[in-house]
């Protein structure tokens, strides 16, 4: 049966596409000078399609692509358009359709799919002949792709996106795109490196973004820098930096970089500000900013936003001592991460869920959850959560009777935190060590007193009052106890 390609019924076209995809049929195409094409369906082996001359296969995909482009309904399927453009080696179209498919995947919170389509688009664009415009597009799509890779927990790839974009922006001497690329790299360094490195980059990006006068990138830079300060244990610096971002993002001229929205960036800034104030013991202020984050999540109903609000809500409930509420909030947030593949949040949600179980006395649940959280943090590259889960896993192991393994784990966490600049976590590890170390002789007692005084010094400097008060209470109890029993 002969038909003009443009006039093929949609049903037949879809059967042809399915045939190509499955390679269960041979779609034989004879192009005549009058533009007619013959489609003949025959059962064949995979090798038949593979043995088609490369140029013929490209022609197959190019003609199908042209037919789909001529159909209004086909524009709802950028993934199929991208598929055929890639196999037709029409790299400019493969880039364009891959980017559209990635954006559609992001809109439905399919972060892994979005990352895959961004990869296809970036690879296709690099096969387009070099021009300054191509390089500008190459920088822009890497900057835009950060959200997909970040949410999918592909931290190393996220970092590489920023580094590659920065190099290409330098090559075309584009200062604006260079600052944007540095902001992408800075955000990734909060997970993929030491606090010292993250703060150094973050402070430079915030300065450059301010000089550039781009409020969207300045907001992102200050959010990332506030997060870096928090991870380093500089909690007062963190809440002040995050406060600047929250203030601008709540105003009428709120703006955010491509790849995110002002509301989501405001939610993240409020989330981290809430967690920071909770760590400082400023519960009422923490509750205020959590409520702002929660209101944004309720309005958007986006899975990513709901998980972010769940994180700050769980931390706030822990800070208030409402352990059952904390566990319920974090369990709900964890379920959303699993359903939508929001892998970046899995380690931090799992860590705090394990802490909630530990405080409830659910020791077996705490151990399993904290082990899973630590392994997930290691696979993502989330160094600070590897340390935090290790600290609380050690406390769970101690209460389960394995004190020797617990002390070893705490000492390793404490040494790593000290060497890499995680001062807040160093204080938590020191306090944990003091609570489980035996005080059977004067040397043990002296060692515990040293640990507590070191933890108090760090907590006092950082303003972490809840930890400070616990450490002081334990120290005072030891000093009052002439036998030195902890």
């Amino acid at each position: 049966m002969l038909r003009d390609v443009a006039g093929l019924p949609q049903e037949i076209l879809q059967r042809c596409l399915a045939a190509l995809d499955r390679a269960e049929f041979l779609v034989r195409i004879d192009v005549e000078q009058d533009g007619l094409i013959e489609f003949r369906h025959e059962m064949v082996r995979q090798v038949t399609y593979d043995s088609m001359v490369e140029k013929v296969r490209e022609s197959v995909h190019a003609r199908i692509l042209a037919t789909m482009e001529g159909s209004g309904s086909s524009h709802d399927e950028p993934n199929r358009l991208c598929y055929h453009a890639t196999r037709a080696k029409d790299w400019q179209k493969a880039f364009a359709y891959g980017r559209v498919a990635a954006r559609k995947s992001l809109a439905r919170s399919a972060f892994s799919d979005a990352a895959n389509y961004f990869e296809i688009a970036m690879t296709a664009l690099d096969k387009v002949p070099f021009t300054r415009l191509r390089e500008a597009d190459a920088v822009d799509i890497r900057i835009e792709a950060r959200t997909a890779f970040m949410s999918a927990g592909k931290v190393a790839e996220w970092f590489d996106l920023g580094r590659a974009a920065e190099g290409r922006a330098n090559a075309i001497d584009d200062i604006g795109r260079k600052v944007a690329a540095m902001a992408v790299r800075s955000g990734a360094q909060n997970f993929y490196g030491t606090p010292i490195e993250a703060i150094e980059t973050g402070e430079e990006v915030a300065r450059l973004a301010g000089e550039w006068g781009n409020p969207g990138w300045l907001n992102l830079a200050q959010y990332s820098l506030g997060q870096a300060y928090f991870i380093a244990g500089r909690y007062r610096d963190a809440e002040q930096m995050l406060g600047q971002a929250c203030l601008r993002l709540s105003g009428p001229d709120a703006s955010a970089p491509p790849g995110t929205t002002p509301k989501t960036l405001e939610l993240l800034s409020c989330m981290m500000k809430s967690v920071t104030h909770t760590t400082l013991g400023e519960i009422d202020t923490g509750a205020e900013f959590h409520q702002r984050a929660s209101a944004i999540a309720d309005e958007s109903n986006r899975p990513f936003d709901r998980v972010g609000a769940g994180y700050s809500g769980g931390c706030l409930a822990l800070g208030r001592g409402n352990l059952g509420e904390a566990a319920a909030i974090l369990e709900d947030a964890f379920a959303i991460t699993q359903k939508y593949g929001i892998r970046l949040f899995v380690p931090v949600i799992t860590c705090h869920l394990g802490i909630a179980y530990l405080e409830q006395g659910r020791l077996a649940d705490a151990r399993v959850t904290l082990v899973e959280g630590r392994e997930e943090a290691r696979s993502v590259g989330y160094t600070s959560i590897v340390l935090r889960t290790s600290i609380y896993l050690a406390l769970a192991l101690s209460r389960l009777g394995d004190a020797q393994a617990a002390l070893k784990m705490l000492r390793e966490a404490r040494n790593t935190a000290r060497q890499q600049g995680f001062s807040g976590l160093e204080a938590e590890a020191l306090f944990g060590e003091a609570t489980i170390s035996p005080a059977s002789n004067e040397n043990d007692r002296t060692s515990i007193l040293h640990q507590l005084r070191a933890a108090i010094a760090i907590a006092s400097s950082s303003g972490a009052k809840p930890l400070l008060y616990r450490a002081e209470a334990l120290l005072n109890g030891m000093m009052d106890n002439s036998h030195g029993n902890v």
Side-chain angles (χ1 to χ4, degrees):
M1 178 175 65
L2 296 180
R3 290 184 183 271
D4 190 310
V5 171
L8 276 174
Q10 186 69 15
E11 180 183 354
I12 293 179
L13 177 59
Q14 293 302 323
R15 289 172 62 190
C16 294
L17 292 174
L20 278 172
D21 288 344
R22 296 193 307 271
E24 291 176 355
F25 296 95
L26 169 63
V27 180
R28 216 170 123 194
I29 299 180
D30 298 313
V31 182
E32 305 293 343
Q33 289 188 358
D34 59 4
L36 297 180
I37 298 181
E38 180 183 21
F39 291 83
R40 183 179 304 159
H41 298 171
E42 300 175 9
M43 290 296 292
V44 295
R45 296 180 183 275
Q46 175 72 43
V47 68
T48 309
Y49 180 71
D50 289 342
S51 65
M52 292 173 69
V53 178
E54 183 69 20
K55 291 297 181 183
V56 174
R57 282 192 285 173
E58 290 174 23
S59 176
V60 170
H61 290 289
R63 297 302 294 270
I64 293 175
L65 177 64
T67 301
M68 293 185 70
E69 288 177 325
S71 169
S73 62
S74 297
H75 290 289
D76 295 330
E77 298 183 287
N79 55 330
R80 283 195 167 276
L81 292 164
C82 175
Y83 170 83
H84 291 295
T86 301
R87 280 150 185 80
K89 296 186 178 179
D90 189 331
W91 303 121
Q92 190 65 49
K93 286 185 178 180
F95 161 68
Y97 291 132
R99 181 169 57 180
V100 173
R103 288 172 175 172
K104 290 193 73 170
S105 296
L106 273 180
R108 58 186 176 85
S109 299
F111 299 111
S112 182
D113 288 349
N116 289 337
Y117 280 117
F118 274 124
E119 286 274 20
I120 291 169
M122 288 185 288
T123 300
L125 184 61
D126 284 345
K127 295 180 180 179
V128 173
F130 176 88
T131 63
R132 182 182 175 84
L133 177 60
R134 186 202 78 167
E135 286 303 284
D137 283 341
V139 173
D140 289 346
I141 195 168
R142 282 165 174 79
I143 290 169
E144 184 179 1
R146 76 187 186 282
T147 302
F149 286 87
M150 173 191 74
S151 302
K154 298 182 176 183
V155 175
E157 293 88 341
W158 172 17
F159 178 82
D160 289 341
L161 286 174
R163 184 168 56 182
E166 185 179 351
R168 296 174 88 143
N170 272 330
I172 59 175
D173 196 26
D174 191 323
I175 183 61
R177 286 185 168 88
K178 176 183 177 180
V179 173
M182 288 178 67
V184 173
R185 178 167 61 85
S186 172
Q189 280 185 301
N190 287 332
F191 305 88
Y192 194 66
T194 68
I196 294 172
E197 295 169 330
I199 289 171
E200 181 180 356
T201 305
E203 288 178 339
E204 183 181 6
V205 172
R207 177 183 62 80
L208 290 173
E211 292 175 357
W212 179 25
N214 186 306
W217 285 109
L218 178 59
N219 289 335
L220 180 63
Q222 290 187 328
Y223 162 71
S224 296
L225 180 55
Q227 190 177 44
Y229 285 147
F230 176 85
I231 291 169
R234 293 171 55 177
Y235 303 125
R236 191 57 66 190
D237 290 337
E239 67 89 4
Q240 290 175 358
M241 185 59 60
L242 291 162
Q244 294 181 44
C246 288
L247 181 63
R248 275 193 308 275
L249 286 162
S250 63
D253 299 322
S255 62
T260 189
T261 66
K263 280 299 180 184
T264 291
L265 188 52
E266 181 185 359
L267 181 148
L268 291 172
S269 299
C270 289
M271 172 197 78
M272 280 307 306
K273 191 161 169 62
S274 173
V275 172
T276 304
H277 283 291
T278 300
T279 304
L280 289 165
E282 298 166 354
I283 299 299
D284 290 345
T285 308
E288 175 190 339
F289 281 94
H290 165 64
Q291 288 166 5
R292 284 178 56 179
S294 185
I296 294 170
D298 287 343
E299 182 179 350
S300 73
N301 202 33
R302 293 180 64 242
F304 185 88
D305 294 353
R306 288 161 57 199
V307 172
Y311 169 46
S312 60
C315 290
L316 181 64
L318 279 172
R320 286 171 164 164
N322 298 334
L323 304 178
E325 179 186 354
I329 292 171
L330 293 164
E331 284 169 349
D332 287 346
F334 179 76
I336 298 170
T337 66
Q338 298 304 290
K339 181 176 181 180
Y340 292 96
I342 309 173
R343 196 178 172 205
L344 182 71
F345 269 108
V346 171
V348 70
I349 294 291
T350 308
C351 173
H352 286 81
L353 180 57
I355 294 171
Y357 290 155
L358 176 64
E359 295 296 321
Q360 286 181 300
R362 297 169 57 180
L363 301 182
D365 290 337
R367 179 176 59 184
V368 170
T369 304
L370 289 164
V371 167
E372 290 176 353
R374 186 172 64 170
E375 291 310 305
E376 189 68 24
R378 282 174 173 165
S379 66
V380 169
Y382 202 160
T383 307
S384 66
I385 298 301
V386 172
L387 292 174
R388 177 163 276 123
T389 51
S390 296
I391 291 167
Y392 290 94
L393 175 60
L395 296 179
L397 292 176
S398 174
R399 292 173 63 180
L400 286 165
D402 197 348
Q404 185 174 359
L407 280 171
K408 180 181 179 182
M409 191 177 295
L410 279 167
R411 287 165 184 159
E412 289 175 351
R414 178 241 298 165
N415 290 334
T416 301
R418 180 178 297 164
Q419 292 164 4
Q420 297 189 6
F422 296 94
S423 66
L425 292 172
E426 181 186 353
E428 290 182 45
L430 283 163
F431 177 70
E433 223 178 319
T435 62
I436 69 171
S437 294
S440 53
N441 55 53
E442 191 59 29
N443 287 337
D444 289 344
R445 173 184 164 83
T446 300
S447 177
I448 294 170
L449 292 175
H450 174 75
Q451 291 158 2
L452 287 172
R453 289 182 177 124
I456 288 168
I458 296 171
S460 178
S461 176
S462 68
K465 291 180 182 177
L467 177 60
L468 173 64
Y469 294 157
R470 291 199 303 273
E472 286 180 336
L474 186 54
L475 177 64
N476 291 334
M478 283 197 66
M479 299 299 292
D480 292 340
N481 187 339
S482 61
H483 298 292
N485 295 319
V486 179

